[in-house]
Amino acid sequence: MIELRNLRKTYGHGPRAVRALDDVSISVPAGEIFGVVGRSGAGKSTLLRTVNVLERPDSGTVTLDGTLMTGLEGGALRQARRSVGMVFQHFNLLANRSIQQNVEFALEAARVPRGKRASQAAEMLDLVGLKDRGGAYPAQLSGGQKQRVGIARALAAKPRVLLSDEATSALDPETTESILDLIRSINRELKLTVLLITHEMDVVKRICDSAALMENGAIVEQGELVEVIRTPGSKLAAQLFPLAAPADDEGPTVIDITFAGGTADRPVIARLAREHELDVSILGATVERIAGTQAGRTRLALPVAGEAAAAVVADLRRQGLIVEYLKGGAA
């Protein structure tokens, strides 16, 4: 559905030039929620704006559902953009228009006939849970309600792709959860393809099927979340399951065990202590449900080193677990 190939974008010239996109390639299948995560300045917003060619890349191609967006200009590009809805961080609602009129404004811009605008806007407000607030004005709504209006507006012209630009970063945690649940619900109900950018790992964990980690304008890692979690040395997996660094006095060997899917419900630590006759210390653990799969990471201190520790690690790996040394061994 979304194919970004070898995108490059540089702002400025000479020694002060900033490379916002550095040979970026991403593929998002139809109906998937794909998250791009990274710190501020990583290039996420520039990347998102290339999808509907609000930002034209210096080189590379953008293809949406078989349409080469970067090959279009003028009226043809404006027409193609109607298949893409966008949700913004700060809502961008028109204060002097009612909620119904804000949604209708998007339909006006998409050149939907006047006679159809009211019914389509009402349908979208119903979809986002604001059926009875069409006559209200933005100042009368909470932040979460304003974002729901933003989502209704983005969906009003019935796009095939929804772009989300840090849509929850201005919201409190409880409201964030409700908006993310709404995006997931819409994704399933309307079969929408969703590309979102965020700096919050909780957003990725809650609704994304796949994700990419972006640093300094480049994609350093990407893939389906479950596969990323199962990849040894994954920077994205480490950020999904953050644990504090081990102290020097926590035993001769410290390991991280990462699990996903069928390995998540095994009594791994109890079996380890029993079969290897070890007093294992749990230094930290986190368990989440990600992309429909139970996954997590556990950090253990082993009271042995060398060959004895290597035997424990080999046993764990034979069980299909991802094991990495943090102290006292070699991976």
Side-chain angles (χ1 to χ4, degrees), residues 36 48 106 154 172 177 241 250 254 258 290 301 312:
V36 179
L48 196 74
D172 62 76
E177 288 187 8
F241 303 112
E250 287 176 336
V254 177
T258 304
I290 297 178
V312 172

Side-chain angles (χ1 to χ4, degrees), residues 241-294:
F241 303 112
L243 295 173
D248 291 336
D249 60 352
E250 287 176 336
T253 304
V254 177
I255 61 174
D256 273 358
I257 303 173
T258 304
F259 52 86
T263 59
D265 56 358
R266 299 178 190 171
V268 173
I269 298 174
R271 177 179 176 277
L272 186 68
R274 183 176 64 253
E275 296 190 3
H276 292 269
E277 298 183 348
L278 296 176
D279 292 327
V280 179
S281 298
I282 301 175
L283 304 181
T286 178
V287 179
E288 304 273 357
R289 190 157 191 85
I290 297 178
T293 298
Q294 194 83 352

Side-chain angles (χ1 to χ4, degrees), residues 7-11 18-22 46 55-58:
L7 298 182
R8 297 180 186 274
K9 180 68 179 181
T10 300
Y11 296 104
V18 176
R19 178 165 288 183
L21 298 178
D22 187 3
T46 300
E55 196 73 63
R56 190 173 288 274
D58 298 332

Side-chain angles (χ1 to χ4, degrees), residues 93 97-108 117 120-122 124-125 148-157:
L93 302 181
R97 294 199 181 197
S98 70
I99 300 311
Q100 173 86 12
Q101 290 169 339
N102 265 275
V103 179
E104 287 185 25
F105 181 73
L107 295 170
E108 181 182 342
R117 293 174 197 166
Q120 281 189 220
M124 290 302 105
L125 288 173
R148 286 174 181 268
V149 177
I151 293 171
R153 182 185 54 193
L155 298 175

Side-chain angles (χ1 to χ4, degrees), residues 72-232:
L72 302 177
E73 294 187 11
L77 178 56
R78 288 192 293 273
Q79 177 66 32
R81 281 176 178 154
R82 293 174 190 170
S83 67
V84 182
M86 195 161 185
V87 184
F88 302 93
Q89 177 180 357
H90 295 296
F91 322 133
N92 294 347
L93 302 181
L94 300 172
N96 62 343
R97 294 199 181 197
S98 70
I99 300 311
Q100 173 86 12
Q101 290 169 339
N102 265 275
V103 179
E104 287 185 25
F105 181 73
L107 295 170
E108 181 182 342
R111 297 186 178 180
V112 173
R114 183 184 298 272
K116 295 182 178 180
R117 293 174 197 166
S119 60
Q120 281 189 220
E123 178 186 351
M124 290 302 105
L125 288 173
D126 187 19
L127 181 67
V128 301
L130 294 176
K131 180 180 180 180
D132 300 324
R133 300 306 306 272
Y137 284 80
Q140 298 173 295
L141 302 184
S142 67
Q145 288 173 324
K146 290 177 183 177
Q147 194 56 284
R148 286 174 181 268
V149 177
I151 293 171
R153 182 185 54 193
L155 298 175
K158 300 185 178 179
R160 301 190 305 275
V161 173
L162 182 66
L163 306 180
S164 172
D165 185 2
E166 297 276 11
T168 60
S169 62
L171 305 175
D172 62 76
E174 185 177 349
T175 306
T176 291
E177 288 187 8
S178 71
I179 293 298
L180 293 177
D181 289 344
L182 174 62
I183 292 174
R184 169 55 89 181
S185 175
I186 290 170
N187 158 255
R188 291 171 174 168
E189 184 173 342
L190 302 182
K191 310 299 182 186
L192 272 180
T193 303
V194 181
L195 178 63
L196 62 85
I197 64 169
T198 184
H199 63 275
E200 300 172 285
M201 278 295 171
D202 284 343
V203 172
V204 175
K205 288 190 284 191
R206 191 170 184 90
I207 66 169
C208 290
D209 302 300
S210 300
L213 177 62
M214 199 168 186
E215 295 178 356
N216 301 317
I219 299 295
V220 298
E221 187 179 358
Q222 65 176 302
E224 294 182 12
L225 284 188
V226 174
E227 293 307 313
V228 165
I229 293 166
R230 292 170 175 162
T231 302

